[in-house]
Amino acid sequence: MPRLIIISNRLPVTIDKKKGELFYYPSAGGLATGLNSLDTKLERLWIGWPGQEINDLKEQEKVTNDLREEGLIPVFLSQKEIELYYEGFSNETIWPHFHYFTQYTTYNEEYWKAYQAVNAKFAALVNANIQAEDFVWVHDYQLMLLPAMIRKEFPNISIGYFLHIPFPSYEIFRILPWREEILEGLLGADQIGFHTFDYMRHFLSAVYRIGGYEHNFGKLTINNRIVNVDVFPMGIDYDKYAYPERIAGKDLVLHQVKKLRSKKRKLIISIDRLDYSKGIPQRIKSFERFIVEHPEYQGKVTLILIVVPSRTHVDQYQELKDEVDTLVGRIDGQYRTFGWSPIQYFYRSFPFGELGALYKAADIAMITPLRDGMNLVAKEFIASKEESKKGVLILSEMAGAANELTEAIIVNPQDSNDMVSAIHRAIEMPESEQATRLQKMQDRLKIYTVKHWASTFMQEQMDLKAFKDQKKTNLLSDTQKEVLLKDYKAAEKRLILLDYDGTLMGFQNDPKKVVPDQELLDILEKFKNTEGNKVVIISGRDKHTLDKWLGHLKLDMAAEHGVWIKRRNEWKTPDVTNTWKKDVRHVLQSLVDRTPGSFIEEKDYSIAWHYRMIDKGLGEKRVREFRDVLLYLTANLDLQVLEGNKVVEVKNAGINKGKATSYWLMKDNYDFMMAIGDDSTDEDTFKALPENAYTIKVGLDQTAARFNILGVENVRKLLTSIVES
Ligand code: GDG
């Protein structure tokens, strides 16, 4: 029975040591809540750091045994590892860099080495605890190398990865000296999830520009493995924040709300961990400007500023703490009266019940990070207004949540004019408008909960695995290969149709460079010389090139996708015209003039524009331009446009590899037929052959072929074993 293995830096538990005795407190963050609510019957295991330094081996053993009962497996980290891997590389390199604070990015080789080593330590423990059929789900920026490390030991295991923070634009990401290793690590997963489409877009762009891999609707093919990249915006446990009293007790919550609201002032709340990404000083300064520019609100509005201590060992956090302390002190000292203080500042965390009460009591929430992966506080505030339908959210456009909470007042946190007018608008907003806006956001949050998030991620990962398993069953197995060999040997007349590029030879930037090597020539020669064999090279290439490279073998051939047919050493062509080529060439030449690195390939009855060496985005833009002009030019001509792998080709309609295949089928009767090809033009060949033919598609794409085979090397191996059988 497969299990679900969650791996995150922290386990959802806190260990406390009092007088030598160990106490365990479960800490149910969003992630744990989402996972606990998963409907799947999968047994769950969670691997992570328990948050305490435990060096004594006996004690480690005890903790391991205690936690195992809860399905938790601890990874013990030394003080040095915490310093270098967690506080160092994770929080001083990746965190600032991915949040666009490149001025804080620390480039330290020792941090990087520790990050690699701790990821490897996690991998060792994961590998010791997983089984090949398990589903693995790795979380967040501390463990970006882990997917590839697990993949190395378990090549076929299903691995998901979710990044909780932003993935920065390529221009930022490329600066990291360890960019290749990080991408390689992540791409070990089968599925990579982000909170927003922008993060996904940035990631795919980095994968393309750094790794050279192109995606197709978010799917990448890496070493014949599909990696699904998608958007899964994380939600919250809606009812928990809508009805906090159900957990914390009615008396406590209502009492708190009453106390908070007793002064009849407008309450603005601000809740974050102490972090420079959260834009706390900018928020405080905007609030100050508001009370200065709108003095009528002095005494009538209070900012409740909750800053939860975090990463206190990192220098920038200490500096930020000083800055916030100073700002709040100055503003309070300057504007407070005997009955009013403009800012109530708390540098600590609150128990859940008080937090729930605060949300409920507040009129406005100001959540204005400079960058934030998602921001769950914004969503929790909206949920807390389930009953009252009163409250306004001011939300930064730089938070992932802004993509979903579009009815909030959206601000640019660096634009203090915008921030001041947002506070004013929020205070003055009529209750009916508040209710309408809240209702829309609440309707969404009720559907897209954290449970929904976890289950859609897992469902997609499971579907992907099922798809792969099914694909694998199409891969030509050893047994099927043996049957093929037996049929081949038993047959008297055999037709063997082979595509050239991408099937017998790998791709090159310059199509002229794909000259056949000796191994291939030997294979083809042996095929040709075996009695009963009719070997046909069926290609999109022009006949001159095919003749130059393979002519001496005296094989049958189809060139230009069947425009030219070579049989008994003689080329023939059907009755088609090529007078249209002049006009199309003219259009293509203008593309080449504006697109350095691209070029035209002209064949007798077709003309192609290659853009393998230029930026993919630019190439696609040009193809779109070209299609429009072509539509106009060729309206009355019987032409077709084929879009291949970084090439677009115009040729006469009605001619394809299928027609060419039928030509040979009509010439003789065969008792063994085999066709191998890699791209969409080969599908016509597969479809033209009878059902009992061995049709084999190179790669895992959808196909009309009966079997799939992975890569040119495997095609070569198959052909070699046939000729040597
Ligand atoms: C990272 C990403 C992404 C806060 N103060 C108290 C308290 N909290 C709880 C909130 C909320 C959570 O902490 C904070 O979550 P956020 O999403 O706002 O921010 P990060 O911690 O930076 O989380 C972020 C998230 O991962 C999920 O993917 O949204 O963008 O940076 O749930 O309620 N809870 C209690 N007392 C407090 O004083 N009890």
Side-chain angles (χ1 to χ4, degrees), residues 3 14 34 38 44 76 95 98 140 143 148 196 253 273 277 335 444 484 492 521 536 562 588 590 612 643 653 684 722:
R3 301 164 307 166
T14 305
L38 275 179
R44 255 161 266 159
F76 297 106
W95 177 274
F98 278 36
D140 228 0
L143 299 172
T196 76
V253 175
R273 274 185 311 99
S277 66
Y335 303 101
R444 237 169 279 141
L484 184 152
E492 284 175 8
L521 293 174
V536 182
L588 289 182
S590 89
R612 186 160 294 279
E643 281 187 42
D684 294 322
I722 297 177

Side-chain angles (χ1 to χ4, degrees), residues 11 85 93-94 174 191 211 223 257 290 295 417 506 520 537 568 585 602 632 647 657 669 671 721:
L11 280 176
Y85 141 83
T93 304
I94 297 299
R174 71 189 300 190
Q191 173 160 285
N223 302 330
V257 173
F290 172 76
N417 289 330
L520 177 61
I537 300 296
R568 296 198 175 128
R585 188 191 310 119
E602 193 162 342
Y632 161 77
V647 56
K657 289 184 178 178
N669 288 321
D671 48 1
S721 51

